[in-house]
Amino acid sequence: DTEVTQTPKHLVMGMTNKKSLKCEQHMGHRAMYWYKQKAKKPPELMFVYSYEKLSINESVPSRFSPECPNSSLLNLHLHALQPEDSALYLCASSQPGHRVSKNIQYFGAGTRLSVL
Amino acid sequence: KNQVEQSPQSLIILEGKNCTLQCNYTVSPFSNLRWYKQDTGRGPVSLTIMTFSENTKSNGRYTATLDADTKQSSLHITASQLSDSASYICVVIGGTASKLTFGTGTRLQVTL
Protein backbone atom coordinates (compact mmCIF):
# COMPACT_ATOMS: atom_id res chain seq x y z
CA ASP A 1 0.00 0.00 0.00
CA THR A 2 1.69 3.20 -1.19
CA GLU A 3 -1.28 5.45 -0.62
CA VAL A 4 -1.56 8.68 1.23
CA THR A 5 -5.24 9.40 1.79
CA GLN A 6 -6.52 12.93 2.26
CA THR A 7 -10.00 14.00 3.31
CA PRO A 8 -12.05 15.82 2.35
CA LYS A 9 -11.30 16.11 -1.37
CA HIS A 10 -13.02 19.49 -1.53
CA LEU A 11 -13.82 22.01 1.19
CA VAL A 12 -15.60 25.35 1.08
CA MET A 13 -15.51 27.45 4.22
CA GLY A 14 -16.24 30.96 5.38
CA MET A 15 -13.67 33.19 7.01
CA THR A 16 -15.17 32.61 10.45
CA ASN A 17 -15.37 28.82 10.19
CA LYS A 18 -13.16 26.24 11.86
CA LYS A 19 -12.38 23.14 9.82
CA SER A 20 -9.76 20.40 9.68
CA LEU A 21 -7.96 18.62 6.88
CA LYS A 22 -6.96 15.02 7.48
CA CYS A 23 -4.17 12.88 6.09
CA GLU A 24 -3.51 9.19 6.68
CA GLN A 25 -0.82 6.74 5.58
CA HIS A 26 -0.08 3.14 6.52
CA MET A 27 3.36 2.75 4.97
CA GLY A 28 5.16 3.05 8.29
CA HIS A 29 6.58 6.43 7.29
CA ARG A 30 7.72 8.56 10.21
CA ALA A 31 7.95 11.90 8.35
CA MET A 32 4.82 13.71 7.20
CA TYR A 33 4.42 17.01 5.41
CA TRP A 34 1.87 19.67 4.57
CA TYR A 35 2.22 21.65 1.35
CA LYS A 36 0.17 24.47 -0.11
CA GLN A 37 -0.15 24.72 -3.89
CA LYS A 38 -1.67 27.62 -5.77
CA ALA A 39 -2.81 27.18 -9.37
CA LYS A 40 0.03 26.73 -11.86
CA LYS A 41 2.62 27.02 -9.10
CA PRO A 42 4.81 24.38 -7.48
CA PRO A 43 3.93 23.14 -3.98
CA GLU A 44 5.21 25.24 -1.08
CA LEU A 45 6.28 23.49 2.09
CA MET A 46 4.31 24.47 5.21
CA PHE A 47 5.14 21.97 7.95
CA VAL A 48 7.23 18.85 8.50
CA TYR A 49 6.67 16.31 11.25
CA SER A 50 9.38 13.81 12.05
CA TYR A 51 8.58 11.03 14.51
CA GLU A 52 5.36 12.83 15.42
CA LYS A 53 7.20 16.01 16.40
CA LEU A 54 7.06 19.27 14.48
CA SER A 55 10.50 19.73 12.95
CA ILE A 56 9.91 22.46 10.35
CA ASN A 57 7.43 25.34 10.32
CA GLU A 58 7.99 27.53 7.28
CA SER A 59 6.75 30.69 8.99
CA VAL A 60 3.14 29.69 8.40
CA PRO A 61 0.46 32.01 9.88
CA SER A 62 -1.08 30.77 13.13
CA ARG A 63 -4.48 30.40 11.49
CA PHE A 64 -3.01 27.09 10.23
CA SER A 65 -2.39 24.67 13.09
CA PRO A 66 -0.89 21.24 12.38
CA GLU A 67 -1.32 18.20 14.58
CA CYS A 68 0.19 14.72 14.41
CA PRO A 69 -1.79 12.53 16.83
CA ASN A 70 0.09 9.35 15.85
CA SER A 71 2.54 8.02 13.27
CA SER A 72 -0.21 7.39 10.70
CA LEU A 73 -2.25 10.57 10.96
CA LEU A 74 -1.63 14.22 10.21
CA ASN A 75 -4.21 16.96 10.63
CA LEU A 76 -4.27 20.59 9.61
CA HIS A 77 -6.67 22.71 11.65
CA LEU A 78 -7.97 25.84 9.94
CA HIS A 79 -9.40 28.89 11.66
CA ALA A 80 -10.18 32.43 10.47
CA LEU A 81 -8.75 31.84 7.02
CA GLN A 82 -8.55 34.49 4.31
CA PRO A 83 -9.68 34.16 0.68
CA GLU A 84 -6.03 34.11 -0.41
CA ASP A 85 -5.63 30.86 1.53
CA SER A 86 -7.71 29.13 -1.14
CA ALA A 87 -5.44 26.49 -2.68
CA LEU A 88 -4.76 22.78 -3.05
CA TYR A 89 -3.37 21.44 0.22
CA LEU A 90 -1.14 18.42 -0.24
CA CYS A 91 -0.02 15.93 2.37
CA ALA A 92 3.06 13.77 1.84
CA SER A 93 4.96 11.15 3.79
CA SER A 94 8.41 9.58 3.70
CA GLN A 95 10.97 7.89 5.85
CA PRO A 96 13.04 10.54 7.65
CA GLY A 97 16.79 10.55 7.28
CA HIS A 98 19.31 11.14 4.55
CA ARG A 99 19.39 7.79 2.74
CA VAL A 100 18.10 8.41 -0.75
CA SER A 101 16.33 5.06 -1.01
CA LYS A 102 14.21 5.83 2.04
CA ASN A 103 13.46 9.43 1.26
CA ILE A 104 10.90 9.33 -1.55
CA GLN A 105 7.92 11.48 -0.68
CA TYR A 106 4.55 10.00 -1.48
CA PHE A 107 1.85 12.58 -2.01
CA GLY A 108 -1.86 12.42 -1.38
CA ALA A 109 -4.39 13.64 -3.94
CA GLY A 110 -4.89 16.85 -1.99
CA THR A 111 -7.78 18.83 -0.55
CA ARG A 112 -9.00 21.69 -2.71
CA LEU A 113 -9.91 24.47 -0.29
CA SER A 114 -12.01 27.48 -1.15
CA VAL A 115 -12.35 30.29 1.41
CA LEU A 116 -15.28 32.61 0.82
CA LYS B 1 19.50 31.01 -2.76
CA ASN B 2 18.48 27.50 -3.78
CA GLN B 3 16.50 27.61 -7.01
CA VAL B 4 15.18 25.17 -9.58
CA GLU B 5 14.15 26.51 -12.98
CA GLN B 6 12.36 24.55 -15.66
CA SER B 7 11.79 25.10 -19.35
CA PRO B 8 9.68 25.36 -21.31
CA GLN B 9 6.84 26.64 -19.11
CA SER B 10 4.34 24.87 -21.35
CA LEU B 11 4.47 22.56 -24.32
CA ILE B 12 1.94 21.13 -26.78
CA ILE B 13 2.87 18.06 -28.83
CA LEU B 14 1.08 15.56 -31.02
CA GLU B 15 0.39 12.08 -29.73
CA GLY B 16 3.22 9.72 -30.61
CA LYS B 17 5.88 12.42 -30.72
CA ASN B 18 8.85 12.69 -28.36
CA CYS B 19 9.70 15.66 -26.17
CA THR B 20 12.38 16.80 -23.74
CA LEU B 21 11.87 18.92 -20.65
CA GLN B 22 14.73 20.84 -19.03
CA CYS B 23 15.67 21.56 -15.42
CA ASN B 24 18.48 23.81 -14.15
CA TYR B 25 19.25 24.10 -10.46
CA THR B 26 21.47 25.99 -8.05
CA VAL B 27 20.73 23.86 -4.97
CA SER B 28 23.86 23.14 -2.96
CA PRO B 29 25.04 20.84 -1.56
CA PHE B 30 23.28 18.47 -3.93
CA SER B 31 21.79 15.20 -2.70
CA ASN B 32 19.44 13.96 -5.39
CA LEU B 33 17.04 15.07 -8.09
CA ARG B 34 13.54 13.81 -8.86
CA TRP B 35 11.04 14.24 -11.58
CA TYR B 36 7.40 14.20 -10.56
CA LYS B 37 4.28 14.04 -12.73
CA GLN B 38 1.24 15.91 -11.46
CA ASP B 39 -2.15 15.51 -13.04
CA THR B 40 -4.51 18.46 -12.63
CA GLY B 41 -6.04 18.50 -9.15
CA ARG B 42 -3.96 15.53 -7.99
CA GLY B 43 -0.83 15.10 -5.93
CA PRO B 44 2.59 14.67 -7.58
CA VAL B 45 3.75 11.15 -8.40
CA SER B 46 7.45 10.29 -8.49
CA LEU B 47 8.81 9.23 -11.91
CA THR B 48 12.55 8.99 -11.33
CA ILE B 49 15.11 9.71 -8.65
CA MET B 50 18.77 10.36 -9.48
CA THR B 51 21.80 10.72 -7.26
CA PHE B 52 25.06 12.53 -7.95
CA SER B 53 26.71 9.51 -9.57
CA GLU B 54 23.86 8.65 -11.94
CA ASN B 55 23.76 10.09 -15.46
CA THR B 56 20.69 8.37 -16.88
CA LYS B 57 17.69 6.59 -15.46
CA SER B 58 14.65 5.22 -17.27
CA ASN B 59 11.12 4.44 -16.16
CA GLY B 60 9.18 3.04 -19.10
CA ARG B 61 8.82 5.79 -21.70
CA TYR B 62 10.42 8.33 -19.37
CA THR B 63 14.21 8.82 -19.40
CA ALA B 64 15.89 11.30 -17.08
CA THR B 65 19.45 12.56 -17.42
CA LEU B 66 21.60 14.40 -14.93
CA ASP B 67 24.76 16.44 -15.40
CA ALA B 68 25.88 17.33 -11.89
CA ASP B 69 28.77 19.45 -13.23
CA THR B 70 26.53 21.83 -15.12
CA LYS B 71 23.63 21.33 -12.67
CA GLN B 72 21.22 20.38 -15.40
CA SER B 73 18.70 17.60 -15.81
CA SER B 74 16.32 16.62 -18.57
CA LEU B 75 13.27 14.40 -18.83
CA HIS B 76 12.70 12.76 -22.21
CA ILE B 77 9.28 11.34 -23.00
CA THR B 78 9.15 8.84 -25.85
CA ALA B 79 6.11 8.08 -28.00
CA SER B 80 3.86 10.42 -26.04
CA GLN B 81 0.31 9.41 -25.09
CA LEU B 82 -2.73 11.52 -24.24
CA SER B 83 -2.35 10.39 -20.62
CA ASP B 84 1.05 12.09 -20.49
CA SER B 85 -0.76 15.44 -20.38
CA ALA B 86 0.20 16.82 -16.97
CA SER B 87 2.61 19.10 -15.19
CA TYR B 88 6.13 17.76 -14.80
CA ILE B 89 7.99 19.05 -11.80
CA CYS B 90 11.73 18.85 -11.19
CA VAL B 91 12.57 18.61 -7.49
CA VAL B 92 16.06 18.89 -6.06
CA ILE B 93 17.06 17.79 -2.58
CA GLY B 94 20.08 19.38 -0.99
CA GLY B 95 21.19 20.24 2.51
CA THR B 96 18.51 19.01 4.90
CA ALA B 97 17.22 15.84 3.23
CA SER B 98 13.68 16.29 4.42
CA LYS B 99 13.26 19.55 2.50
CA LEU B 100 12.65 19.69 -1.25
CA THR B 101 13.16 22.59 -3.66
CA PHE B 102 10.47 22.46 -6.33
CA GLY B 103 10.87 23.73 -9.86
CA THR B 104 8.26 25.89 -11.53
CA GLY B 105 7.03 22.95 -13.61
CA THR B 106 6.38 22.34 -17.30
CA ARG B 107 2.78 21.92 -18.37
CA LEU B 108 2.64 19.33 -21.15
CA GLN B 109 -0.40 18.84 -23.35
CA VAL B 110 -0.52 15.90 -25.75
CA THR B 111 -3.11 16.27 -28.51
CA LEU B 112 -4.48 14.13 -31.32
Side-chain angles (χ1 to χ4, degrees):
Chain A
D1 181 9
T2 58
E3 270 200 18
V4 176
T5 303
Q6 290 187 242
T7 57
K9 286 185 168 41
H10 303 276
L11 179 62
V12 179
M13 60 186 291
M15 290 189 284
T16 59
N17 292 155
K18 285 184 181 181
K19 297 286 185 182
S20 296
L21 309 185
K22 297 186 183 300
C23 174
E24 188 170 3
Q25 56 86 17
H26 296 286
M27 295 178 277
H29 290 168
R30 301 304 296 275
M32 297 186 76
Y33 313 76
W34 280 116
Y35 289 86
K36 173 183 177 181
Q37 187 176 27
K38 302 286 275 185
K40 299 183 181 181
K41 298 288 187 182
E44 297 175 6
L45 182 66
M46 299 175 71
F47 303 103
V48 180
Y49 273 82
S50 182
Y51 294 98
E52 296 84 68
K53 294 191 187 307
L54 184 65
S55 60
I56 295 177
N57 177 343
E58 291 287 347
S59 302
V60 179
S62 60
R63 57 186 183 268
F64 295 92
S65 174
E67 178 198 20
C68 190
N70 61 56
S71 60
S72 299
L73 295 175
L74 184 67
N75 299 322
L76 186 62
H77 303 298
L78 314 173
H79 173 56
L81 294 193
Q82 304 297 312
E84 59 264 28
D85 296 322
S86 298
L88 180 69
Y89 288 84
L90 294 167
C91 172
S93 73
S94 73
Q95 288 290 13
H98 297 262
R99 289 184 59 183
V100 170
S101 61
K102 291 182 180 293
N103 205 19
I104 296 174
Q105 288 197 8
Y106 293 86
F107 285 84
T111 293
R112 183 154 303 281
L113 174 67
S114 297
V115 182
L116 304 179
Chain B
K1 182 181 177 182
N2 290 335
Q3 286 187 315
V4 178
E5 294 185 353
Q6 294 184 240
S7 61
Q9 280 191 334
S10 61
L11 182 62
I12 301 175
I13 62 173
L14 293 175
E15 186 182 27
K17 298 296 185 183
N18 304 336
C19 67
T20 300
L21 314 180
Q22 301 290 342
C23 173
N24 297 332
Y25 62 92
T26 60
V27 177
S28 182
F30 174 84
S31 174
N32 61 87
L33 182 147
R34 297 144 193 218
W35 284 92
Y36 279 85
K37 177 186 178 186
Q38 185 175 19
D39 293 310
T40 302
R42 306 286 295 179
V45 175
S46 179
L47 294 175
T48 65
I49 176 171
M50 302 183 73
T51 59
F52 184 87
S53 59
E54 295 174 307
N55 299 120
T56 303
K57 183 166 282 189
S58 292
N59 177 4
R61 294 181 297 102
Y62 301 104
T63 299
T65 66
L66 173 65
D67 185 334
D69 291 330
T70 61
K71 298 187 177 181
Q72 295 179 327
S73 176
S74 66
L75 180 68
H76 186 75
I77 304 175
T78 304
S80 61
Q81 301 176 358
L82 296 178
S83 59
D84 292 331
S85 297
S87 288
Y88 290 84
I89 306 174
C90 176
V91 183
V92 180
I93 296 184
T96 304
S98 61
K99 192 171 179 180
L100 284 62
T101 302
F102 285 79
T104 49
T106 292
R107 295 176 64 84
L108 174 66
Q109 184 177 349
V110 181
T111 66
L112 292 172

